[in-house]
Amino acid sequence: MFNAPTREMAWQDLAACREFSVESFYPPTDQDGDEAKAICFACAVREQCLEFALAAGERFGIWGGMTPQERRYLTARRLRATQFPEESEEETTMALS
């Protein structure tokens, strides 16, 4: 069951998406989400939005500039990093090279 909103969710009051149609953030395909992603990337609370979506297990829509598929990938990477921290360090080193 979803809890009632709290002041911890005050970030939503500052979200750039509040000024746009909700349909923009629920495109028919992930490839159609470019407009929503552009709004998200300019948003001051993008990180809070993304973390909320990850914690809540949001399965639909663009949240924090990421599609559902991108959020699943991020969740998997984070899980892998906690299970295999030495591999995560190698991936980071390789990515920075």
Side-chain angles (χ1 to χ4, degrees):
M1 177 175 219
F2 190 72
N3 294 331
T6 65
R7 287 316 312 158
E8 291 177 19
M9 293 174 55
W11 61 266
Q12 292 178 336
D13 295 335
L14 304 172
C17 60
R18 293 179 58 88
E19 304 296 320
F20 296 88
S21 168
V22 70
E23 288 84 16
S24 298
F25 296 88
Y26 292 90
T29 68
D30 287 350
Q31 291 77 25
D32 295 330
D34 290 343
E35 177 186 350
K37 285 182 167 188
I39 294 165
C40 291
F41 286 118
C43 182
V45 295
R46 184 180 69 83
E47 289 181 30
Q48 293 96 320
C49 177
L50 176 59
E51 292 305 323
F52 172 81
L54 294 171
E58 285 290 341
R59 294 176 30 209
F60 303 101
I62 308 294
W63 288 80
M66 293 185 128
T67 66
Q69 181 178 0
E70 291 166 334
R71 291 193 304 273
R72 285 190 299 273
Y73 176 76
L74 177 60
T75 299
R77 281 194 68 185
R78 286 181 175 182
L79 180 60
R80 182 182 175 119
T82 61
Q83 292 176 338
F84 305 101
E86 60 281 345
E87 288 182 20
S88 179
E89 288 178 23
E90 288 176 19
E91 285 180 5
T92 301
T93 302
M94 290 174 61
L96 296 175
S97 299

